[in-house]
Amino acid sequence: MRYLLLILLVTGCSGCFRRFVRTPAQLREYFSQQKISPLFVTLRQDTVQLFCAVAGADTLPPLLVIHGAPGAWYGNRNLLSDSLVTSRFQVISVDRPGYGQSWVNHRHGAVTSIATQSSVIRRALLLNKSHHPGIVLGSSYGGPIAAQLALDTAAAFYRVILLAAAADPALEKFWWFNKYVHHGPLRWLLPRYLRTATDEKYAHAAQLRLLLPQWQRLAMPVFAVQGDADKIVYPANLDFLHKVLTGRGSRIIRVPGAGHLIRMERPALVRDLLLEKKSE
């Protein structure tokens, strides 16, 4: 009976996330209805592979977009197909290492280190030829990676945007089934993206503690946005960011009634933050 319940648990967990997954056929259908479709570039060097979807001229400032956990490049398809955004930026949406077609050391397992994620993803900036700073945007688990990227490559960006970012190590949210997914005997029945997301979750608090002393080094403006109805990442993460962000022009934005997927639920707000003029 216990194993039957675990099987039901595994299939249920897999199904609840499936609505966020897009097949190649679904993506072709989506972009066939848009005026803009991305180009796909795979960057390879030594033991690292980084997959990128790109839209907009490479002579425009970069907009580097980093998804959460689980996730993929196509979670940002609305930005890649937005003619107003792509007229101002070269939009580069990556598969984070461990997801989709990106990996480290020739394996598709989780890359739990925020520093390593940053080191790999920063290679996407090689696709940009503008020699002008841009924006790095991170959603959910991609938020602290975006912050690390801004620290590691400060000259490449003039603004950081965090959407529903999981930032406070004391507020890591676990679900009742996580331990069964992480250690359970049926773990390997799960899709790879769920195993990767679970492995990241169990390392995330420790990784965020490593980032704690670094937040105050972010001298550029950081726009942190979260819905007060977010059920995935505690909205109190905004309170944490309010305490640690010291960059001039940083902003805390609470969105009444919004859930976790800010870029989908409030696309006009996200676009306005992207297009807002650079602070002098």
PDB file of all heavy atoms in Angstrom, residues 216-250:
ATOM      1  N   GLN A 216      24.567  43.502  -0.391  1.00  0.00           N
ATOM      2  CA  GLN A 216      24.850  44.929  -0.200  1.00  0.00           C
ATOM      3  C   GLN A 216      25.910  45.445  -1.172  1.00  0.00           C
ATOM      4  O   GLN A 216      26.118  46.654  -1.265  1.00  0.00           O
ATOM      5  CB  GLN A 216      25.253  45.196   1.243  1.00  0.00           C
ATOM      6  CG  GLN A 216      24.106  44.955   2.218  1.00  0.00           C
ATOM      7  CD  GLN A 216      24.458  45.315   3.642  1.00  0.00           C
ATOM      8  OE1 GLN A 216      25.632  45.510   3.970  1.00  0.00           O
ATOM      9  NE2 GLN A 216      23.457  45.420   4.499  1.00  0.00           N
ATOM     10  N   ARG A 217      26.579  44.542  -1.876  1.00  0.00           N
ATOM     11  CA  ARG A 217      27.561  44.958  -2.882  1.00  0.00           C
ATOM     12  C   ARG A 217      26.898  45.317  -4.209  1.00  0.00           C
ATOM     13  O   ARG A 217      27.557  45.846  -5.109  1.00  0.00           O
ATOM     14  CB  ARG A 217      28.577  43.842  -3.108  1.00  0.00           C
ATOM     15  CG  ARG A 217      29.526  43.586  -1.947  1.00  0.00           C
ATOM     16  CD  ARG A 217      30.497  42.459  -2.279  1.00  0.00           C
ATOM     17  NE  ARG A 217      31.093  42.633  -3.600  1.00  0.00           N
ATOM     18  CZ  ARG A 217      31.169  41.683  -4.537  1.00  0.00           C
ATOM     19  NH1 ARG A 217      30.688  40.477  -4.293  1.00  0.00           N
ATOM     20  NH2 ARG A 217      31.726  41.919  -5.699  1.00  0.00           N
ATOM     21  N   LEU A 218      25.596  45.063  -4.339  1.00  0.00           N
ATOM     22  CA  LEU A 218      24.891  45.384  -5.575  1.00  0.00           C
ATOM     23  C   LEU A 218      24.649  46.888  -5.619  1.00  0.00           C
ATOM     24  O   LEU A 218      23.710  47.401  -5.020  1.00  0.00           O
ATOM     25  CB  LEU A 218      23.557  44.629  -5.648  1.00  0.00           C
ATOM     26  CG  LEU A 218      23.578  43.227  -6.239  1.00  0.00           C
ATOM     27  CD1 LEU A 218      22.233  42.562  -6.069  1.00  0.00           C
ATOM     28  CD2 LEU A 218      23.960  43.285  -7.723  1.00  0.00           C
ATOM     29  N   ALA A 219      25.492  47.591  -6.347  1.00  0.00           N
ATOM     30  CA  ALA A 219      25.403  49.050  -6.380  1.00  0.00           C
ATOM     31  C   ALA A 219      24.358  49.537  -7.373  1.00  0.00           C
ATOM     32  O   ALA A 219      23.893  50.674  -7.278  1.00  0.00           O
ATOM     33  CB  ALA A 219      26.769  49.645  -6.719  1.00  0.00           C
ATOM     34  N   MET A 220      23.980  48.723  -8.341  1.00  0.00           N
ATOM     35  CA  MET A 220      23.007  49.134  -9.352  1.00  0.00           C
ATOM     36  C   MET A 220      21.583  48.988  -8.826  1.00  0.00           C
ATOM     37  O   MET A 220      21.336  48.252  -7.855  1.00  0.00           O
ATOM     38  CB  MET A 220      23.192  48.290 -10.618  1.00  0.00           C
ATOM     39  CG  MET A 220      22.801  46.836 -10.471  1.00  0.00           C
ATOM     40  SD  MET A 220      23.311  45.841 -11.895  1.00  0.00           S
ATOM     41  CE  MET A 220      25.095  45.833 -11.719  1.00  0.00           C
ATOM     42  N   PRO A 221      20.622  49.671  -9.429  1.00  0.00           N
ATOM     43  CA  PRO A 221      19.223  49.526  -8.995  1.00  0.00           C
ATOM     44  C   PRO A 221      18.719  48.098  -9.173  1.00  0.00           C
ATOM     45  O   PRO A 221      18.995  47.445 -10.187  1.00  0.00           O
ATOM     46  CB  PRO A 221      18.474  50.496  -9.909  1.00  0.00           C
ATOM     47  CG  PRO A 221      19.491  51.471 -10.371  1.00  0.00           C
ATOM     48  CD  PRO A 221      20.772  50.698 -10.480  1.00  0.00           C
ATOM     49  N   VAL A 222      17.976  47.640  -8.183  1.00  0.00           N
ATOM     50  CA  VAL A 222      17.324  46.336  -8.230  1.00  0.00           C
ATOM     51  C   VAL A 222      15.823  46.560  -8.060  1.00  0.00           C
ATOM     52  O   VAL A 222      15.395  47.170  -7.079  1.00  0.00           O
ATOM     53  CB  VAL A 222      17.845  45.400  -7.123  1.00  0.00           C
ATOM     54  CG1 VAL A 222      17.125  44.047  -7.194  1.00  0.00           C
ATOM     55  CG2 VAL A 222      19.348  45.210  -7.231  1.00  0.00           C
ATOM     56  N   PHE A 223      15.038  46.089  -9.016  1.00  0.00           N
ATOM     57  CA  PHE A 223      13.590  46.148  -8.916  1.00  0.00           C
ATOM     58  C   PHE A 223      13.098  44.758  -8.505  1.00  0.00           C
ATOM     59  O   PHE A 223      13.221  43.804  -9.276  1.00  0.00           O
ATOM     60  CB  PHE A 223      12.949  46.537 -10.248  1.00  0.00           C
ATOM     61  CG  PHE A 223      13.293  47.915 -10.745  1.00  0.00           C
ATOM     62  CD1 PHE A 223      12.898  48.316 -12.015  1.00  0.00           C
ATOM     63  CD2 PHE A 223      13.997  48.816  -9.962  1.00  0.00           C
ATOM     64  CE1 PHE A 223      13.198  49.575 -12.493  1.00  0.00           C
ATOM     65  CE2 PHE A 223      14.314  50.092 -10.423  1.00  0.00           C
ATOM     66  CZ  PHE A 223      13.907  50.471 -11.691  1.00  0.00           C
ATOM     67  N   ALA A 224      12.574  44.647  -7.295  1.00  0.00           N
ATOM     68  CA  ALA A 224      12.083  43.367  -6.784  1.00  0.00           C
ATOM     69  C   ALA A 224      10.559  43.396  -6.766  1.00  0.00           C
ATOM     70  O   ALA A 224       9.955  44.274  -6.153  1.00  0.00           O
ATOM     71  CB  ALA A 224      12.628  43.113  -5.387  1.00  0.00           C
ATOM     72  N   VAL A 225       9.947  42.431  -7.452  1.00  0.00           N
ATOM     73  CA  VAL A 225       8.500  42.408  -7.652  1.00  0.00           C
ATOM     74  C   VAL A 225       7.954  41.074  -7.166  1.00  0.00           C
ATOM     75  O   VAL A 225       8.525  40.013  -7.455  1.00  0.00           O
ATOM     76  CB  VAL A 225       8.149  42.580  -9.149  1.00  0.00           C
ATOM     77  CG1 VAL A 225       6.650  42.744  -9.338  1.00  0.00           C
ATOM     78  CG2 VAL A 225       8.911  43.754  -9.765  1.00  0.00           C
ATOM     79  N   GLN A 226       6.835  41.118  -6.456  1.00  0.00           N
ATOM     80  CA  GLN A 226       6.193  39.864  -6.052  1.00  0.00           C
ATOM     81  C   GLN A 226       4.715  40.093  -5.771  1.00  0.00           C
ATOM     82  O   GLN A 226       4.312  41.160  -5.288  1.00  0.00           O
ATOM     83  CB  GLN A 226       6.861  39.260  -4.817  1.00  0.00           C
ATOM     84  CG  GLN A 226       6.383  37.826  -4.532  1.00  0.00           C
ATOM     85  CD  GLN A 226       7.283  37.091  -3.563  1.00  0.00           C
ATOM     86  OE1 GLN A 226       8.180  37.688  -2.980  1.00  0.00           O
ATOM     87  NE2 GLN A 226       7.067  35.800  -3.394  1.00  0.00           N
ATOM     88  N   GLY A 227       3.916  39.086  -6.080  1.00  0.00           N
ATOM     89  CA  GLY A 227       2.492  39.131  -5.781  1.00  0.00           C
ATOM     90  C   GLY A 227       2.222  38.734  -4.341  1.00  0.00           C
ATOM     91  O   GLY A 227       2.887  37.853  -3.803  1.00  0.00           O
ATOM     92  N   ASP A 228       1.227  39.375  -3.737  1.00  0.00           N
ATOM     93  CA  ASP A 228       0.917  39.032  -2.348  1.00  0.00           C
ATOM     94  C   ASP A 228       0.100  37.751  -2.241  1.00  0.00           C
ATOM     95  O   ASP A 228      -0.179  37.269  -1.137  1.00  0.00           O
ATOM     96  CB  ASP A 228       0.224  40.192  -1.634  1.00  0.00           C
ATOM     97  CG  ASP A 228      -1.135  40.549  -2.222  1.00  0.00           C
ATOM     98  OD1 ASP A 228      -1.623  39.831  -3.126  1.00  0.00           O
ATOM     99  OD2 ASP A 228      -1.730  41.561  -1.775  1.00  0.00           O
ATOM    100  N   ALA A 229      -0.288  37.172  -3.394  1.00  0.00           N
ATOM    101  CA  ALA A 229      -1.001  35.891  -3.397  1.00  0.00           C
ATOM    102  C   ALA A 229      -0.103  34.755  -3.892  1.00  0.00           C
ATOM    103  O   ALA A 229      -0.606  33.703  -4.295  1.00  0.00           O
ATOM    104  CB  ALA A 229      -2.250  35.995  -4.270  1.00  0.00           C
ATOM    105  N   ASP A 230       1.202  34.956  -3.850  1.00  0.00           N
ATOM    106  CA  ASP A 230       2.157  33.944  -4.290  1.00  0.00           C
ATOM    107  C   ASP A 230       2.117  32.749  -3.335  1.00  0.00           C
ATOM    108  O   ASP A 230       2.348  32.897  -2.136  1.00  0.00           O
ATOM    109  CB  ASP A 230       3.564  34.552  -4.311  1.00  0.00           C
ATOM    110  CG  ASP A 230       4.583  33.682  -5.031  1.00  0.00           C
ATOM    111  OD1 ASP A 230       4.395  32.456  -5.098  1.00  0.00           O
ATOM    112  OD2 ASP A 230       5.589  34.245  -5.506  1.00  0.00           O
ATOM    113  N   LYS A 231       1.839  31.572  -3.865  1.00  0.00           N
ATOM    114  CA  LYS A 231       1.765  30.353  -3.050  1.00  0.00           C
ATOM    115  C   LYS A 231       3.012  29.481  -3.202  1.00  0.00           C
ATOM    116  O   LYS A 231       3.117  28.435  -2.555  1.00  0.00           O
ATOM    117  CB  LYS A 231       0.531  29.524  -3.452  1.00  0.00           C
ATOM    118  CG  LYS A 231      -0.787  30.266  -3.361  1.00  0.00           C
ATOM    119  CD  LYS A 231      -1.086  30.730  -1.957  1.00  0.00           C
ATOM    120  CE  LYS A 231      -2.464  31.399  -1.887  1.00  0.00           C
ATOM    121  NZ  LYS A 231      -2.720  31.986  -0.546  1.00  0.00           N
ATOM    122  N   ILE A 232       3.949  29.900  -4.045  1.00  0.00           N
ATOM    123  CA  ILE A 232       5.141  29.100  -4.305  1.00  0.00           C
ATOM    124  C   ILE A 232       6.339  29.624  -3.524  1.00  0.00           C
ATOM    125  O   ILE A 232       7.093  28.860  -2.911  1.00  0.00           O
ATOM    126  CB  ILE A 232       5.471  29.085  -5.816  1.00  0.00           C
ATOM    127  CG1 ILE A 232       4.253  28.608  -6.623  1.00  0.00           C
ATOM    128  CG2 ILE A 232       6.677  28.208  -6.096  1.00  0.00           C
ATOM    129  CD1 ILE A 232       3.806  27.208  -6.313  1.00  0.00           C
ATOM    130  N   VAL A 233       6.545  30.935  -3.556  1.00  0.00           N
ATOM    131  CA  VAL A 233       7.621  31.592  -2.805  1.00  0.00           C
ATOM    132  C   VAL A 233       6.959  32.560  -1.821  1.00  0.00           C
ATOM    133  O   VAL A 233       6.117  33.372  -2.218  1.00  0.00           O
ATOM    134  CB  VAL A 233       8.576  32.357  -3.752  1.00  0.00           C
ATOM    135  CG1 VAL A 233       9.554  33.210  -2.958  1.00  0.00           C
ATOM    136  CG2 VAL A 233       9.332  31.375  -4.638  1.00  0.00           C
ATOM    137  N   TYR A 234       7.347  32.469  -0.557  1.00  0.00           N
ATOM    138  CA  TYR A 234       6.723  33.324   0.450  1.00  0.00           C
ATOM    139  C   TYR A 234       6.885  34.803   0.081  1.00  0.00           C
ATOM    140  O   TYR A 234       8.005  35.274  -0.159  1.00  0.00           O
ATOM    141  CB  TYR A 234       7.358  33.088   1.818  1.00  0.00           C
ATOM    142  CG  TYR A 234       7.025  31.751   2.435  1.00  0.00           C
ATOM    143  CD1 TYR A 234       8.026  30.807   2.676  1.00  0.00           C
ATOM    144  CD2 TYR A 234       5.718  31.429   2.792  1.00  0.00           C
ATOM    145  CE1 TYR A 234       7.736  29.583   3.254  1.00  0.00           C
ATOM    146  CE2 TYR A 234       5.417  30.202   3.368  1.00  0.00           C
ATOM    147  CZ  TYR A 234       6.421  29.283   3.594  1.00  0.00           C
ATOM    148  OH  TYR A 234       6.130  28.066   4.159  1.00  0.00           O
ATOM    149  N   PRO A 235       5.785  35.585   0.074  1.00  0.00           N
ATOM    150  CA  PRO A 235       5.884  37.016  -0.210  1.00  0.00           C
ATOM    151  C   PRO A 235       6.783  37.773   0.764  1.00  0.00           C
ATOM    152  O   PRO A 235       7.263  38.864   0.442  1.00  0.00           O
ATOM    153  CB  PRO A 235       4.431  37.495  -0.119  1.00  0.00           C
ATOM    154  CG  PRO A 235       3.609  36.282  -0.467  1.00  0.00           C
ATOM    155  CD  PRO A 235       4.373  35.129   0.142  1.00  0.00           C
ATOM    156  N   ALA A 236       7.048  37.192   1.932  1.00  0.00           N
ATOM    157  CA  ALA A 236       7.942  37.845   2.899  1.00  0.00           C
ATOM    158  C   ALA A 236       9.368  37.966   2.371  1.00  0.00           C
ATOM    159  O   ALA A 236      10.188  38.689   2.957  1.00  0.00           O
ATOM    160  CB  ALA A 236       7.941  37.076   4.222  1.00  0.00           C
ATOM    161  N   ASN A 237       9.682  37.283   1.268  1.00  0.00           N
ATOM    162  CA  ASN A 237      10.992  37.475   0.653  1.00  0.00           C
ATOM    163  C   ASN A 237      11.216  38.940   0.261  1.00  0.00           C
ATOM    164  O   ASN A 237      12.350  39.410   0.242  1.00  0.00           O
ATOM    165  CB  ASN A 237      11.142  36.576  -0.578  1.00  0.00           C
ATOM    166  CG  ASN A 237      11.614  35.178  -0.230  1.00  0.00           C
ATOM    167  OD1 ASN A 237      12.807  34.921  -0.091  1.00  0.00           O
ATOM    168  ND2 ASN A 237      10.662  34.269  -0.063  1.00  0.00           N
ATOM    169  N   LEU A 238      10.131  39.658  -0.037  1.00  0.00           N
ATOM    170  CA  LEU A 238      10.263  41.077  -0.350  1.00  0.00           C
ATOM    171  C   LEU A 238      10.756  41.874   0.850  1.00  0.00           C
ATOM    172  O   LEU A 238      11.510  42.841   0.705  1.00  0.00           O
ATOM    173  CB  LEU A 238       8.935  41.648  -0.837  1.00  0.00           C
ATOM    174  CG  LEU A 238       8.585  41.493  -2.316  1.00  0.00           C
ATOM    175  CD1 LEU A 238       7.312  42.253  -2.629  1.00  0.00           C
ATOM    176  CD2 LEU A 238       9.703  41.942  -3.225  1.00  0.00           C
ATOM    177  N   ASP A 239      10.326  41.486   2.047  1.00  0.00           N
ATOM    178  CA  ASP A 239      10.797  42.170   3.256  1.00  0.00           C
ATOM    179  C   ASP A 239      12.304  41.974   3.424  1.00  0.00           C
ATOM    180  O   ASP A 239      13.033  42.902   3.804  1.00  0.00           O
ATOM    181  CB  ASP A 239      10.057  41.644   4.484  1.00  0.00           C
ATOM    182  CG  ASP A 239       8.553  41.874   4.399  1.00  0.00           C
ATOM    183  OD1 ASP A 239       8.153  42.942   3.898  1.00  0.00           O
ATOM    184  OD2 ASP A 239       7.790  40.987   4.815  1.00  0.00           O
ATOM    185  N   PHE A 240      12.762  40.773   3.155  1.00  0.00           N
ATOM    186  CA  PHE A 240      14.192  40.487   3.209  1.00  0.00           C
ATOM    187  C   PHE A 240      14.950  41.363   2.213  1.00  0.00           C
ATOM    188  O   PHE A 240      15.963  41.986   2.554  1.00  0.00           O
ATOM    189  CB  PHE A 240      14.435  39.007   2.911  1.00  0.00           C
ATOM    190  CG  PHE A 240      15.870  38.657   2.638  1.00  0.00           C
ATOM    191  CD1 PHE A 240      16.760  38.445   3.675  1.00  0.00           C
ATOM    192  CD2 PHE A 240      16.336  38.538   1.330  1.00  0.00           C
ATOM    193  CE1 PHE A 240      18.091  38.124   3.420  1.00  0.00           C
ATOM    194  CE2 PHE A 240      17.649  38.216   1.067  1.00  0.00           C
ATOM    195  CZ  PHE A 240      18.529  38.011   2.116  1.00  0.00           C
ATOM    196  N   LEU A 241      14.459  41.428   0.981  1.00  0.00           N
ATOM    197  CA  LEU A 241      15.142  42.219  -0.039  1.00  0.00           C
ATOM    198  C   LEU A 241      15.127  43.703   0.304  1.00  0.00           C
ATOM    199  O   LEU A 241      16.094  44.425   0.028  1.00  0.00           O
ATOM    200  CB  LEU A 241      14.498  41.969  -1.408  1.00  0.00           C
ATOM    201  CG  LEU A 241      14.757  40.577  -2.000  1.00  0.00           C
ATOM    202  CD1 LEU A 241      13.875  40.329  -3.219  1.00  0.00           C
ATOM    203  CD2 LEU A 241      16.223  40.419  -2.379  1.00  0.00           C
ATOM    204  N   HIS A 242      14.060  44.143   0.915  1.00  0.00           N
ATOM    205  CA  HIS A 242      14.000  45.545   1.345  1.00  0.00           C
ATOM    206  C   HIS A 242      15.123  45.872   2.334  1.00  0.00           C
ATOM    207  O   HIS A 242      15.677  46.981   2.317  1.00  0.00           O
ATOM    208  CB  HIS A 242      12.640  45.831   1.984  1.00  0.00           C
ATOM    209  CG  HIS A 242      12.470  47.245   2.446  1.00  0.00           C
ATOM    210  ND1 HIS A 242      12.380  48.310   1.588  1.00  0.00           N
ATOM    211  CD2 HIS A 242      12.408  47.763   3.699  1.00  0.00           C
ATOM    212  CE1 HIS A 242      12.250  49.422   2.274  1.00  0.00           C
ATOM    213  NE2 HIS A 242      12.274  49.130   3.560  1.00  0.00           N
ATOM    214  N   LYS A 243      15.489  44.895   3.157  1.00  0.00           N
ATOM    215  CA  LYS A 243      16.535  45.115   4.157  1.00  0.00           C
ATOM    216  C   LYS A 243      17.934  45.089   3.557  1.00  0.00           C
ATOM    217  O   LYS A 243      18.822  45.821   3.997  1.00  0.00           O
ATOM    218  CB  LYS A 243      16.437  44.045   5.255  1.00  0.00           C
ATOM    219  CG  LYS A 243      15.186  44.119   6.103  1.00  0.00           C
ATOM    220  CD  LYS A 243      15.143  42.955   7.087  1.00  0.00           C
ATOM    221  CE  LYS A 243      13.856  42.972   7.902  1.00  0.00           C
ATOM    222  NZ  LYS A 243      13.765  41.781   8.801  1.00  0.00           N
ATOM    223  N   VAL A 244      18.143  44.233   2.564  1.00  0.00           N
ATOM    224  CA  VAL A 244      19.521  43.999   2.104  1.00  0.00           C
ATOM    225  C   VAL A 244      19.912  44.815   0.879  1.00  0.00           C
ATOM    226  O   VAL A 244      21.096  44.941   0.581  1.00  0.00           O
ATOM    227  CB  VAL A 244      19.769  42.499   1.819  1.00  0.00           C
ATOM    228  CG1 VAL A 244      19.577  41.674   3.074  1.00  0.00           C
ATOM    229  CG2 VAL A 244      18.878  41.984   0.694  1.00  0.00           C
ATOM    230  N   LEU A 245      18.939  45.354   0.159  1.00  0.00           N
ATOM    231  CA  LEU A 245      19.273  46.091  -1.059  1.00  0.00           C
ATOM    232  C   LEU A 245      19.635  47.531  -0.725  1.00  0.00           C
ATOM    233  O   LEU A 245      18.862  48.244  -0.086  1.00  0.00           O
ATOM    234  CB  LEU A 245      18.105  46.060  -2.053  1.00  0.00           C
ATOM    235  CG  LEU A 245      17.761  44.693  -2.631  1.00  0.00           C
ATOM    236  CD1 LEU A 245      16.546  44.784  -3.533  1.00  0.00           C
ATOM    237  CD2 LEU A 245      18.952  44.090  -3.385  1.00  0.00           C
ATOM    238  N   THR A 246      20.798  47.938  -1.155  1.00  0.00           N
ATOM    239  CA  THR A 246      21.267  49.288  -0.831  1.00  0.00           C
ATOM    240  C   THR A 246      21.539  50.127  -2.079  1.00  0.00           C
ATOM    241  O   THR A 246      21.878  51.300  -1.968  1.00  0.00           O
ATOM    242  CB  THR A 246      22.569  49.215  -0.001  1.00  0.00           C
ATOM    243  OG1 THR A 246      23.564  48.506  -0.753  1.00  0.00           O
ATOM    244  CG2 THR A 246      22.329  48.498   1.311  1.00  0.00           C
ATOM    245  N   GLY A 247      21.416  49.519  -3.259  1.00  0.00           N
ATOM    246  CA  GLY A 247      21.703  50.258  -4.487  1.00  0.00           C
ATOM    247  C   GLY A 247      20.748  51.424  -4.687  1.00  0.00           C
ATOM    248  O   GLY A 247      19.532  51.290  -4.487  1.00  0.00           O
ATOM    249  N   ARG A 248      21.263  52.567  -5.078  1.00  0.00           N
ATOM    250  CA  ARG A 248      20.438  53.742  -5.299  1.00  0.00           C
ATOM    251  C   ARG A 248      19.424  53.470  -6.406  1.00  0.00           C
ATOM    252  O   ARG A 248      19.763  52.966  -7.468  1.00  0.00           O
ATOM    253  CB  ARG A 248      21.299  54.939  -5.703  1.00  0.00           C
ATOM    254  CG  ARG A 248      20.529  56.251  -5.730  1.00  0.00           C
ATOM    255  CD  ARG A 248      21.427  57.391  -6.137  1.00  0.00           C
ATOM    256  NE  ARG A 248      21.797  57.275  -7.566  1.00  0.00           N
ATOM    257  CZ  ARG A 248      22.510  58.193  -8.213  1.00  0.00           C
ATOM    258  NH1 ARG A 248      22.962  59.244  -7.582  1.00  0.00           N
ATOM    259  NH2 ARG A 248      22.781  58.030  -9.498  1.00  0.00           N
ATOM    260  N   GLY A 249      18.180  53.796  -6.138  1.00  0.00           N
ATOM    261  CA  GLY A 249      17.129  53.557  -7.117  1.00  0.00           C
ATOM    262  C   GLY A 249      16.477  52.193  -7.016  1.00  0.00           C
ATOM    263  O   GLY A 249      15.561  51.891  -7.797  1.00  0.00           O
ATOM    264  N   SER A 250      16.913  51.351  -6.074  1.00  0.00           N
ATOM    265  CA  SER A 250      16.272  50.049  -5.894  1.00  0.00           C
ATOM    266  C   SER A 250      14.822  50.237  -5.452  1.00  0.00           C
ATOM    267  O   SER A 250      14.479  51.229  -4.812  1.00  0.00           O
ATOM    268  CB  SER A 250      17.043  49.209  -4.880  1.00  0.00           C
ATOM    269  OG  SER A 250      18.294  48.814  -5.396  1.00  0.00           O
TER     270      SER A 250
END
